[in-house]
Amino acid sequence: DVLMTQTPVSLPVSLGGQVSISCRSSQSLVHSDGNTYLHWYLQKPGQSPQLLIYRVSNRFSGVPDRFSGSGSGTDFTLKISRVEPEDLGVYYCLQSTHFPLTFGSGTKLEIK
Amino acid sequence: QVTLKESGPGMLQPSKTLSLTCSFSGFSLSTSGMVVSWIRQPSGKSLEWLAAIDWDGDKYYNPSLKSRLTVSKDTSNTQVFLKITSVDTADTATYYCARSLPHNNWFDYWGQGVMVTVSS
């Protein structure tokens, strides 16, 4: 299985600040069709995960442009600018290039 | 709007079979390419993809659990089911179902999850 390693585990942030979360895969996530299937989710406390970014850099419907994704191959980053209270929770990356689909271990965004 | 909702027994004993139901609306599993998956999350831990079924009835299983999993759907294409045999305490988790649109192998909508505890 593809191992997805997220860093840091915990990320203290001041409201209004900017943060980056890293997700690294044990294999390249470039699919044979040329696409890279790396996605980002936010799980707010007591809720189910919600899709933020799909295929590295595409924001899902309704996701503010404060969220941006980048990366290629095995190295990916989620950036959050102007952090708001509603952004707090655990962020997960998901790869769906290789079977079985695997998630990262999560990064908890919390108030400093 | 798209909604999914999981239901299950809440608690069951080790060695029993866990049966879960995902009821959904706002889309049809008869639409070509549509997929519904099951994912679980032990308390305080990350997420694990378990199984999926597509519009055509094709089934996909995580190899690590394949021998214990059965995914199915109803004929009206409004419910998906998951059975896990021979459960033990390691199967204690919140179980989610989630949708994937045709040609999109990621999950755009998730259910609220159902908590399952395996205990004697």
Side-chain angles (χ1 to χ4, degrees):
Chain A
D1 297 3
V2 176
L3 179 63
M4 304 297 290
T5 302
Q6 282 185 239
T7 55
V9 172
S10 176
L11 188 51
V13 62
S14 299
L15 295 178
Q18 177 175 298
V19 295
S20 293
I21 298 170
S22 171
C23 177
R24 289 185 170 152
S25 57
S26 60
Q27 301 177 36
S28 172
L29 297 187
V30 179
H31 194 275
S32 56
D33 66 7
N35 290 311
T36 298
Y37 294 103
L38 185 283
H39 326 289
W40 290 96
Y41 291 84
L42 165 60
Q43 186 172 32
K44 297 181 181 180
Q47 296 186 17
S48 55
Q50 58 188 76
L51 178 63
L52 296 174
I53 302 283
Y54 61 92
R55 277 197 286 116
V56 180
S57 59
N58 298 277
R59 277 186 300 276
F60 186 54
S61 174
V63 175
D65 61 6
R66 301 183 292 100
F67 293 87
S68 63
S70 63
S72 62
T74 62
D75 201 347
F76 303 92
T77 301
L78 176 70
K79 288 185 180 177
I80 313 167
S81 59
R82 306 183 302 280
V83 171
E84 298 186 4
E86 67 204 45
D87 301 337
L88 303 182
V90 182
Y91 290 79
Y92 294 98
C93 55
L94 162 69
Q95 72 80 22
S96 54
T97 296
H98 301 285
F99 186 83
L101 284 65
T102 48
F103 290 87
S105 49
T107 295
K108 186 174 185 178
L109 189 68
E110 49 196 10
I111 295 294
K112 190 181 293 182
Chain B
Q1 90 259 29
V2 174
T3 63
L4 303 97
K5 186 173 183 179
E6 307 84 352
S7 58
M11 181 178 286
L12 74 165
Q13 294 177 328
S15 80
K16 301 297 187 184
T17 295
L18 170 61
S19 295
L20 299 168
T21 299
C22 173
S23 303
F24 51 86
S25 63
F27 69 98
S28 176
L29 193 47
S30 62
T31 300
S32 178
M34 199 73 74
V35 178
V36 172
S37 292
W38 287 95
I39 300 127
R40 71 180 179 182
Q41 183 176 39
S43 180
K45 297 188 177 181
S46 185
L47 300 145
E48 180 182 31
W49 176 81
L50 299 176
I53 188 165
D54 72 11
W55 68 284
D56 203 26
D58 289 331
K59 304 168 186 180
Y60 308 87
Y61 297 105
N62 191 318
S64 67
L65 289 159
K66 183 175 181 177
S67 64
R68 299 173 52 216
L69 301 178
T70 304
V71 65
S72 59
K73 62 186 178 82
D74 72 336
T75 54
S76 66
N77 285 297
T78 60
Q79 289 185 316
V80 169
F81 311 101
L82 181 70
K83 290 188 188 295
I84 306 178
T85 61
S86 304
V87 298
D88 69 9
T89 55
D91 296 307
T92 295
T94 296
Y95 287 77
Y96 298 99
C97 58
R99 181 190 84 161
S100 300
L101 283 174
H103 312 299
N104 293 353
N105 56 0
W106 57 90
F107 316 116
D108 59 352
Y109 288 95
W110 297 58
Q112 64 190 26
V114 61
M115 188 175 296
V116 175
T117 301
V118 179
S119 175
S120 55

